[in-house]
mmCIF file of all heavy atoms in Angstrom:
data_model
loop_
_atom_site.group_PDB
_atom_site.id
_atom_site.type_symbol
_atom_site.label_atom_id
_atom_site.label_comp_id
_atom_site.label_asym_id
_atom_site.label_seq_id
_atom_site.Cartn_x
_atom_site.Cartn_y
_atom_site.Cartn_z
ATOM 1 N N GLU A 10 -3.070 19.213 -1.998
ATOM 2 C CA GLU A 10 -3.993 18.148 -2.387
ATOM 3 C C GLU A 10 -4.748 18.457 -3.658
ATOM 4 O O GLU A 10 -4.955 17.586 -4.486
ATOM 5 C CB GLU A 10 -5.006 17.893 -1.267
ATOM 6 C CG GLU A 10 -4.439 17.176 -0.086
ATOM 7 C CD GLU A 10 -5.474 16.949 0.987
ATOM 8 O OE1 GLU A 10 -6.400 17.772 1.139
ATOM 9 O OE2 GLU A 10 -5.360 15.929 1.671
ATOM 10 N N ALA A 14 -3.637 15.043 -5.359
ATOM 11 C CA ALA A 14 -4.166 13.962 -4.518
ATOM 12 C C ALA A 14 -5.200 13.111 -5.252
ATOM 13 O O ALA A 14 -5.155 11.884 -5.181
ATOM 14 C CB ALA A 14 -4.755 14.531 -3.231
ATOM 15 N N PHE A 15 -6.129 13.743 -5.942
ATOM 16 C CA PHE A 15 -7.167 12.995 -6.634
ATOM 17 C C PHE A 15 -6.553 12.052 -7.658
ATOM 18 O O PHE A 15 -6.920 10.877 -7.746
ATOM 19 C CB PHE A 15 -8.163 13.954 -7.299
ATOM 20 C CG PHE A 15 -9.290 13.246 -7.981
ATOM 21 C CD1 PHE A 15 -10.286 12.617 -7.252
ATOM 22 C CD2 PHE A 15 -9.359 13.187 -9.372
ATOM 23 C CE1 PHE A 15 -11.326 11.942 -7.882
ATOM 24 C CE2 PHE A 15 -10.396 12.529 -10.007
ATOM 25 C CZ PHE A 15 -11.379 11.906 -9.255
ATOM 26 N N ARG A 16 -5.582 12.542 -8.420
ATOM 27 C CA ARG A 16 -4.915 11.688 -9.414
ATOM 28 C C ARG A 16 -4.147 10.556 -8.742
ATOM 29 O O ARG A 16 -4.123 9.433 -9.237
ATOM 30 C CB ARG A 16 -3.964 12.502 -10.277
ATOM 31 C CG ARG A 16 -4.665 13.339 -11.298
ATOM 32 C CD ARG A 16 -3.639 14.012 -12.224
ATOM 33 N NE ARG A 16 -4.334 14.781 -13.218
ATOM 34 C CZ ARG A 16 -4.840 14.272 -14.337
ATOM 35 N NH1 ARG A 16 -4.708 13.002 -14.605
ATOM 36 N NH2 ARG A 16 -5.474 15.035 -15.188
ATOM 37 N N ALA A 17 -3.519 10.842 -7.601
ATOM 38 C CA ALA A 17 -2.757 9.812 -6.891
ATOM 39 C C ALA A 17 -3.674 8.704 -6.392
ATOM 40 O O ALA A 17 -3.371 7.516 -6.553
ATOM 41 C CB ALA A 17 -1.989 10.438 -5.733
ATOM 42 N N ILE A 18 -4.795 9.082 -5.816
ATOM 43 C CA ILE A 18 -5.756 8.094 -5.315
ATOM 44 C C ILE A 18 -6.328 7.291 -6.487
ATOM 45 O O ILE A 18 -6.448 6.069 -6.428
ATOM 46 C CB ILE A 18 -6.886 8.782 -4.513
ATOM 47 C CG1 ILE A 18 -6.323 9.513 -3.294
ATOM 48 C CG2 ILE A 18 -7.975 7.792 -4.124
ATOM 49 C CD1 ILE A 18 -5.675 8.652 -2.254
ATOM 50 N N LYS A 19 -6.655 8.006 -7.548
ATOM 51 C CA LYS A 19 -7.195 7.342 -8.744
ATOM 52 C C LYS A 19 -6.186 6.349 -9.326
ATOM 53 O O LYS A 19 -6.563 5.307 -9.855
ATOM 54 C CB LYS A 19 -7.561 8.416 -9.772
ATOM 55 C CG LYS A 19 -8.327 7.924 -10.956
ATOM 56 C CD LYS A 19 -8.717 9.094 -11.840
ATOM 57 C CE LYS A 19 -9.206 8.656 -13.175
ATOM 58 N NZ LYS A 19 -9.462 9.776 -14.072
ATOM 59 N N ALA A 22 -2.935 4.945 -5.102
ATOM 60 C CA ALA A 22 -2.374 5.252 -3.781
ATOM 61 C C ALA A 22 -3.461 5.074 -2.721
ATOM 62 O O ALA A 22 -4.637 5.308 -2.978
ATOM 63 C CB ALA A 22 -1.835 6.685 -3.748
ATOM 64 N N ARG A 47 -7.997 3.086 3.591
ATOM 65 C CA ARG A 47 -7.419 4.233 2.884
ATOM 66 C C ARG A 47 -7.441 5.442 3.802
ATOM 67 O O ARG A 47 -8.299 5.544 4.672
ATOM 68 C CB ARG A 47 -8.218 4.560 1.631
ATOM 69 C CG ARG A 47 -8.109 3.506 0.560
ATOM 70 C CD ARG A 47 -8.875 3.937 -0.686
ATOM 71 N NE ARG A 47 -8.827 2.900 -1.689
ATOM 72 C CZ ARG A 47 -7.878 2.817 -2.619
ATOM 73 N NH1 ARG A 47 -6.927 3.713 -2.679
ATOM 74 N NH2 ARG A 47 -7.897 1.845 -3.502
ATOM 75 N N TYR A 48 -6.483 6.358 3.575
ATOM 76 C CA TYR A 48 -6.505 7.614 4.329
ATOM 77 C C TYR A 48 -6.920 8.735 3.383
ATOM 78 O O TYR A 48 -6.274 8.986 2.370
ATOM 79 C CB TYR A 48 -5.143 7.954 4.932
ATOM 80 C CG TYR A 48 -5.209 9.303 5.598
ATOM 81 C CD1 TYR A 48 -5.842 9.449 6.828
ATOM 82 C CD2 TYR A 48 -4.730 10.434 4.965
ATOM 83 C CE1 TYR A 48 -5.973 10.687 7.415
ATOM 84 C CE2 TYR A 48 -4.858 11.678 5.545
ATOM 85 C CZ TYR A 48 -5.470 11.797 6.771
ATOM 86 O OH TYR A 48 -5.609 13.028 7.344
ATOM 87 N N ILE A 49 -8.013 9.374 3.725
ATOM 88 C CA ILE A 49 -8.513 10.510 2.961
ATOM 89 C C ILE A 49 -8.712 11.663 3.937
ATOM 90 O O ILE A 49 -9.467 11.524 4.903
ATOM 91 C CB ILE A 49 -9.865 10.180 2.275
ATOM 92 C CG1 ILE A 49 -9.768 8.934 1.407
ATOM 93 C CG2 ILE A 49 -10.378 11.377 1.487
ATOM 94 C CD1 ILE A 49 -8.930 9.070 0.170
ATOM 95 N N SER A 50 -8.045 12.777 3.709
ATOM 96 C CA SER A 50 -8.231 13.937 4.582
ATOM 97 C C SER A 50 -9.628 14.511 4.377
ATOM 98 O O SER A 50 -10.256 14.277 3.339
ATOM 99 C CB SER A 50 -7.182 15.007 4.261
ATOM 100 O OG SER A 50 -7.491 15.622 3.029
ATOM 101 N N PRO A 51 -10.128 15.262 5.341
ATOM 102 C CA PRO A 51 -11.446 15.889 5.160
ATOM 103 C C PRO A 51 -11.517 16.761 3.905
ATOM 104 O O PRO A 51 -12.521 16.760 3.197
ATOM 105 C CB PRO A 51 -11.624 16.721 6.425
ATOM 106 C CG PRO A 51 -10.770 16.036 7.446
ATOM 107 C CD PRO A 51 -9.594 15.498 6.683
ATOM 108 N N THR A 52 -10.448 17.473 3.619
ATOM 109 C CA THR A 52 -10.423 18.329 2.424
ATOM 110 C C THR A 52 -10.523 17.489 1.161
ATOM 111 O O THR A 52 -11.295 17.805 0.256
ATOM 112 C CB THR A 52 -9.122 19.161 2.385
ATOM 113 O OG1 THR A 52 -8.996 19.874 3.604
ATOM 114 C CG2 THR A 52 -9.102 20.114 1.222
ATOM 115 N N LEU A 53 -9.744 16.405 1.095
ATOM 116 C CA LEU A 53 -9.780 15.534 -0.074
ATOM 117 C C LEU A 53 -11.129 14.830 -0.181
ATOM 118 O O LEU A 53 -11.652 14.654 -1.280
ATOM 119 C CB LEU A 53 -8.638 14.519 -0.033
ATOM 120 C CG LEU A 53 -8.524 13.584 -1.227
ATOM 121 C CD1 LEU A 53 -8.422 14.357 -2.547
ATOM 122 C CD2 LEU A 53 -7.338 12.657 -1.064
ATOM 123 N N ALA A 54 -11.713 14.462 0.949
ATOM 124 C CA ALA A 54 -13.032 13.830 0.936
ATOM 125 C C ALA A 54 -14.070 14.757 0.306
ATOM 126 O O ALA A 54 -14.905 14.319 -0.483
ATOM 127 C CB ALA A 54 -13.449 13.444 2.356
ATOM 128 N N GLU A 55 -13.997 16.037 0.633
ATOM 129 C CA GLU A 55 -14.909 17.008 0.019
ATOM 130 C C GLU A 55 -14.688 17.086 -1.482
ATOM 131 O O GLU A 55 -15.642 17.132 -2.258
ATOM 132 C CB GLU A 55 -14.722 18.388 0.648
ATOM 133 C CG GLU A 55 -15.342 18.529 2.010
ATOM 134 C CD GLU A 55 -15.195 19.930 2.558
ATOM 135 O OE1 GLU A 55 -15.253 20.899 1.772
ATOM 136 O OE2 GLU A 55 -15.025 20.056 3.775
ATOM 137 N N GLN A 56 -13.428 17.106 -1.902
ATOM 138 C CA GLN A 56 -13.126 17.164 -3.334
ATOM 139 C C GLN A 56 -13.643 15.923 -4.049
ATOM 140 O O GLN A 56 -14.215 16.018 -5.133
ATOM 141 C CB GLN A 56 -11.616 17.272 -3.562
ATOM 142 C CG GLN A 56 -11.032 18.606 -3.218
ATOM 143 C CD GLN A 56 -9.526 18.622 -3.422
ATOM 144 O OE1 GLN A 56 -8.896 17.609 -3.675
ATOM 145 N NE2 GLN A 56 -8.939 19.798 -3.300
ATOM 146 N N LEU A 57 -13.448 14.766 -3.446
ATOM 147 C CA LEU A 57 -13.927 13.523 -4.061
ATOM 148 C C LEU A 57 -15.448 13.521 -4.161
ATOM 149 O O LEU A 57 -16.009 13.100 -5.171
ATOM 150 C CB LEU A 57 -13.442 12.312 -3.265
ATOM 151 C CG LEU A 57 -11.947 12.026 -3.332
ATOM 152 C CD1 LEU A 57 -11.562 10.942 -2.332
ATOM 153 C CD2 LEU A 57 -11.523 11.629 -4.728
ATOM 154 N N ALA A 58 -16.112 14.011 -3.125
ATOM 155 C CA ALA A 58 -17.572 14.095 -3.151
ATOM 156 C C ALA A 58 -18.034 15.044 -4.248
ATOM 157 O O ALA A 58 -18.995 14.762 -4.970
ATOM 158 C CB ALA A 58 -18.102 14.542 -1.796
ATOM 159 N N ASP A 59 -17.346 16.156 -4.399
ATOM 160 C CA ASP A 59 -17.688 17.113 -5.452
ATOM 161 C C ASP A 59 -17.495 16.506 -6.833
ATOM 162 O O ASP A 59 -18.234 16.808 -7.773
ATOM 163 C CB ASP A 59 -16.846 18.384 -5.332
ATOM 164 C CG ASP A 59 -17.229 19.234 -4.144
ATOM 165 O OD1 ASP A 59 -18.336 19.028 -3.577
ATOM 166 O OD2 ASP A 59 -16.427 20.107 -3.759
ATOM 167 N N ASN A 60 -16.495 15.624 -6.960
ATOM 168 C CA ASN A 60 -16.201 15.002 -8.254
ATOM 169 C C ASN A 60 -17.165 13.888 -8.614
ATOM 170 O O ASN A 60 -17.113 13.350 -9.715
ATOM 171 C CB ASN A 60 -14.766 14.479 -8.287
ATOM 172 C CG ASN A 60 -13.771 15.583 -8.501
ATOM 173 O OD1 ASN A 60 -14.027 16.528 -9.219
ATOM 174 N ND2 ASN A 60 -12.627 15.474 -7.844
ATOM 175 N N LEU A 61 -18.032 13.503 -7.690
ATOM 176 C CA LEU A 61 -19.007 12.461 -7.993
ATOM 177 C C LEU A 61 -20.061 12.944 -8.984
ATOM 178 O O LEU A 61 -20.760 12.150 -9.581
ATOM 179 C CB LEU A 61 -19.692 11.974 -6.709
ATOM 180 C CG LEU A 61 -18.808 11.184 -5.770
ATOM 181 C CD1 LEU A 61 -19.583 10.839 -4.499
ATOM 182 C CD2 LEU A 61 -18.279 9.931 -6.421
ATOM 183 N N GLY A 62 -20.153 14.276 -9.149
ATOM 184 C CA GLY A 62 -21.096 14.840 -10.109
ATOM 185 C C GLY A 62 -20.674 14.534 -11.529
ATOM 186 O O GLY A 62 -19.708 13.833 -11.798
ATOM 187 N N LYS A 67 -16.553 19.392 -14.134
ATOM 188 C CA LYS A 67 -15.112 19.242 -14.016
ATOM 189 C C LYS A 67 -14.376 20.269 -14.860
ATOM 190 O O LYS A 67 -14.862 20.698 -15.901
ATOM 191 C CB LYS A 67 -14.682 17.843 -14.456
ATOM 192 C CG LYS A 67 -15.110 16.765 -13.493
ATOM 193 C CD LYS A 67 -14.539 15.440 -13.907
ATOM 194 C CE LYS A 67 -14.915 14.374 -12.905
ATOM 195 N NZ LYS A 67 -14.329 13.095 -13.249
ATOM 196 N N GLU A 71 -9.192 17.932 -15.782
ATOM 197 C CA GLU A 71 -9.606 16.775 -14.982
ATOM 198 C C GLU A 71 -10.179 15.657 -15.844
ATOM 199 O O GLU A 71 -10.351 14.537 -15.373
ATOM 200 C CB GLU A 71 -10.620 17.202 -13.921
ATOM 201 C CG GLU A 71 -10.020 18.122 -12.879
ATOM 202 C CD GLU A 71 -11.046 18.669 -11.910
ATOM 203 O OE1 GLU A 71 -12.208 18.898 -12.326
ATOM 204 O OE2 GLU A 71 -10.690 18.869 -10.751
#
Side-chain angles (χ1 to χ4, degrees):
E10 286 180 329
F15 182 72
R16 285 186 178 277
I18 299 296
K19 189 176 167 185
R47 292 183 183 270
Y48 176 76
I49 305 291
S50 73
T52 306
L53 183 55
E55 284 183 35
Q56 287 178 352
L57 291 171
D59 289 344
N60 282 324
L61 290 176
K67 290 186 177 182
E71 294 174 326

